[in-house]
Amino acid sequence: MHTLQTNESATPVPLLDLKAQYTALRDEIHAAMGRVIESQHFILGPEVEALEREVAAYSHCKYGIGVSSGTDALLVALMAIDLQPGDEVITTPYTFFATAGSIVRLGGRPVFVDIDPRTYNIDPAGIEAVITPRTKAIMPVHLFGQMADMDPIMAIAEQHGLTVIEDAAQAIGAEYKGRRAGSIGHLGCFSFFPSKNLGGFGDGGMVTTNDSDLADKVKLLRGHGARPKYYHKVVGGNFRLDALQAAVLRVKLNYLDEWTAARQCNAERYRQLFAAASVDAGLPYDVGFGRHIYNQFVIRSERRDALMAYLKAHQIGTEIYYPVPMHLQECFAELGHRSGDFSFSESAALHTLAIPVYPELSDDMIKAVVTAFSQFWEA
Ligand SMILES: *Cc1c(COP(=O)(O)O)cnc(C)c1O
């Protein structure tokens, strides 16, 4: 058995260290926020419009619409395609709650298709079998920063007249055969939650599209469906992005490629060091579609919970993304699913663990993680 001795001489390695990033950009960010404060223009406006252009260009899209969160990006995207109660949306059970939650909030029904156990992304081979006359859309998630297999998904969607909404919350700048996350489906949804690769100082999100009608619809819905002000064409909501968030995000966007390169470098370093230590750490599988941005570096172990406790005792931060797949969530009991329905997702929920991969990790920190793993397996 393992003893959970703490090793006081070990380097503490948090799962994420936002202070390191902030410290490096402090002056630039304060100047940008100061600009907004001096203008006293806090909601939408020129900073948000500039960010919309910049994120759209970065994501190879024509339009970007800044919204209040990644969750609201998904919700407003589904509203823009007129999702009606009883409509079905095909998605993955192994994701953050917002993916399925946004569908259910509009009265829609999430129809789950199990993941490819290697990539943890929806397996397109299972999609056609669950299409019904009520199917309206497919919502693939680019989990952990690696894109879902979009070619077959788009082919199926086209054949059946379905809309594709990419949940790209974890995948800004990720690529699939040279195309960027958020630019392949009809709509792309991004999150600027602080722990995402491009994170704000609070909540924020963006919807991207190449379709001018959809862009217009999202824009309308974002501001209570009003056009002009106080004349409401449709019932929307307050899904607006703050100018202060946009100002912070615009500064950070200039560094995003550098940070992505550092994440990729850290991922590669783990691969080298685990190989050198002959530790089978259940490393993430890069399917080779293109740029993987490693929002998370997720390993797999049959003894995940013991490993997690051991790493914690050695001051190494980890997290389980996600412990309960969507089909087994209490709030979705009405969907009538049971344990065993999506076995790859259930297995992933039991066995995966995210370890630190953030850009500012030092080589000593990466070595400390690998050393702790080795000790766990030797103990
Ligand atoms: C973070 C996340 C969201 C929601 O984004 P918020 O900005 O936190 O609302 C949606 N889907 C996935 C896959 C996410 O990781």
Side-chain angles (χ1 to χ4, degrees), residues 78-79 81-85 87-89 102-103 106-108 136-137:
L78 288 166
M79 288 169 80
I81 65 162
D82 276 320
L83 192 82
Q84 294 298 313
D87 284 348
E88 296 172 1
V89 180
S102 59
I103 299 164
L106 295 174
K136 181 106 185 198

Side-chain angles (χ1 to χ4, degrees), residues 69-71 74 95-96 98-99 141 167 169-170 191 193 196 203-204 322:
S69 68
T71 301
L74 294 165
T95 179
F96 177 64
T99 318
V141 180
D167 182 342
Q170 300 182 9
S191 165
F193 185 80
K196 304 293 159 88
D203 281 309
Y322 298 92

Side-chain angles (χ1 to χ4, degrees), residues 281-350:
L283 296 176
Y285 176 74
D286 183 341
V287 72
F289 289 147
R291 198 168 189 238
H292 186 331
I293 64 154
Y294 289 103
N295 177 242
Q296 300 295 346
F297 190 84
V298 174
I299 62 101
R300 183 177 191 109
S301 169
E302 291 301 311
R303 297 170 59 209
R304 191 263 317 268
D305 293 343
L307 175 63
M308 189 180 187
Y310 187 88
L311 293 173
K312 187 177 180 198
H314 289 74
Q315 303 180 67
I316 293 165
T318 62
E319 187 58 86
I320 298 170
Y321 298 115
Y322 298 92
V324 182
M326 291 307 113
H327 66 287
L328 300 180
Q329 293 287 348
E330 186 179 341
C331 65
F332 296 147
E334 267 181 34
L335 296 173
H337 291 296
R338 280 181 305 169
S339 187
D341 283 357
F342 304 103
S343 59
F344 292 133
S345 296
E346 290 165 32
S347 171
L350 284 175

Side-chain angles (χ1 to χ4, degrees), residues 342-369:
F342 304 103
S343 59
F344 292 133
S345 296
E346 290 165 32
S347 171
L350 284 175
H351 298 130
T352 61
L353 190 66
I355 65 173
V357 74
Y358 65 89
E360 296 82 7
L361 274 184
S362 68
D363 205 51
D364 280 347
M365 288 167 135
I366 295 175
K367 282 181 181 151
V369 175

Side-chain angles (χ1 to χ4, degrees), residues 248-262:
V248 171
L249 291 163
R250 290 185 68 207
V251 171
K252 289 195 177 193
L253 182 58
N254 293 320
Y255 297 89
L256 185 56
D257 283 339
E258 209 174 287
W259 293 333
T260 296

